[in-house]
Amino acid sequence: MPLPYSEKVLEHFMHPRNIGRLEDPDATATMGNPACGDMIKIYLKVDGQEKRITDIKFESYGCASNIATGSIVTELAKGKTLEEAKKIGWKEADAELGGLPPVKVHCAVLAVDALHMAIENYEHQHGLLKEKVPTDEKVVLKRLKHVINPKTGREILQANLVKAVAVDSGRVRVELALPPDYQFAKALEEEIRERLEPLWDVEQVEVAFVGES
Ligand code: FES
């Protein structure tokens, strides 16, 4: 039986555009998918004057649809202004690919969410926010949504791995109920930092592993 993918999905899966990482990116975002535990990371280069995406790449830890949608979403975003790129939605990505099987639509949502978060991170870092919400515990928890534990494929929030969050004068401390020698401690710390460090009023992020081995 042939794979239930359009020719365009298969073509982008076999020959993905913009795959890899950018050295010295202006913004990044990693997004995990609670439906399947897959992840995607987006790298952006932005022309600060024109607020235009001059280069974009992605790395995928996901399925064929995730790779194909990462490819098409980065194609759609390249050369667009940030405001234009914000309007790219999963339906557009899905239509461009000739329609994903319904069970795979969340893969397109994942790629688009990562793009939007990378743009949001850029805006935080470059004074472009329309509304500057001070970072508090609620903001931190919102930003940690869809951070996936690579070992289990589950969200750290849903798995109750976030034991405590403290915010004080630009310093954020996140305690995880995992031991310091946890196999994916470094990856989790990096991802949490990537989520929190871009916030406009955050100066320091500490991730503490307070579980027992
Ligand atoms: Fe996980 Fe597609 S099944 S991103």
Side-chain angles (χ1 to χ4, degrees):
M1 190 180 88
L3 287 176
Y5 284 129
S6 71
E7 266 181 33
K8 201 156 174 196
V9 172
L10 287 173
E11 208 274 314
H12 275 267
F13 166 50
M14 313 259 226
H15 308 285
R17 324 309 193 250
N18 310 311
I19 201 150
R21 60 178 63 190
L22 282 179
E23 293 306 323
D24 207 16
D26 294 317
T28 64
T30 305
M31 188 61 75
N33 193 324
C36 60
D38 290 338
M39 288 189 269
I40 188 168
K41 179 163 183 166
I42 296 258
Y43 299 77
L44 291 185
K45 272 275 186 202
V46 178
D47 178 326
Q49 292 262 302
E50 288 191 25
K51 315 273 182 292
R52 193 177 290 283
I53 297 172
T54 53
D55 205 358
I56 178 166
K57 283 200 185 286
F58 77 102
E59 290 176 308
S60 164
Y61 310 95
C63 65
S65 302
N66 183 237
I67 292 169
T69 48
S71 175
I72 203 83
V73 164
T74 52
E75 283 274 279
L76 288 169
K78 200 187 259 185
K80 285 202 167 55
T81 63
L82 297 177
E83 288 306 317
E84 288 165 348
K86 275 191 219 173
K87 294 193 190 117
I88 297 169
W90 68 264
K91 286 188 182 160
E92 188 180 350
D94 183 50
E96 281 287 328
L97 285 169
L100 289 163
V103 72
K104 290 285 177 185
V105 160
H106 69 266
C107 317
V109 174
L110 179 66
V112 166
D113 282 355
L115 170 68
H116 291 174
M117 180 165 267
I119 294 171
E120 193 183 315
N121 287 346
Y122 182 86
E123 290 180 331
H124 269 276
Q125 293 269 277
H126 293 81
L128 298 176
L129 291 177
K130 292 201 176 80
E131 198 193 347
K132 285 190 167 177
V133 179
T135 299
D136 58 12
E137 191 184 330
K138 216 167 124 199
V139 170
V140 170
L141 290 174
K142 200 168 157 212
R143 293 284 289 192
L144 295 183
K145 210 171 158 214
H146 297 180
V147 172
I148 303 280
N149 179 356
K151 186 164 181 175
T152 60
R154 289 191 67 201
E155 286 198 53
I156 59 170
L157 285 175
Q158 282 184 353
N160 288 324
L161 292 178
V162 180
K163 213 173 155 214
V165 170
V167 183
D168 182 22
S169 324
R171 289 200 298 272
V172 181
R173 178 179 160 91
V174 177
E175 290 186 4
L176 294 184
L178 290 168
D181 60 354
Y182 187 64
Q183 184 186 3
F184 292 101
K186 197 163 176 296
L188 280 168
E189 179 176 348
E190 269 175 25
E191 197 176 334
I192 291 170
R193 284 185 180 284
E194 187 189 55
R195 290 289 177 102
L196 302 177
E197 282 175 348
L199 294 173
W200 68 276
D201 57 348
V202 168
E203 285 162 18
Q204 198 186 322
V205 175
E206 186 190 351
V207 183
F209 290 81
V210 298
E212 296 193 353
S213 297

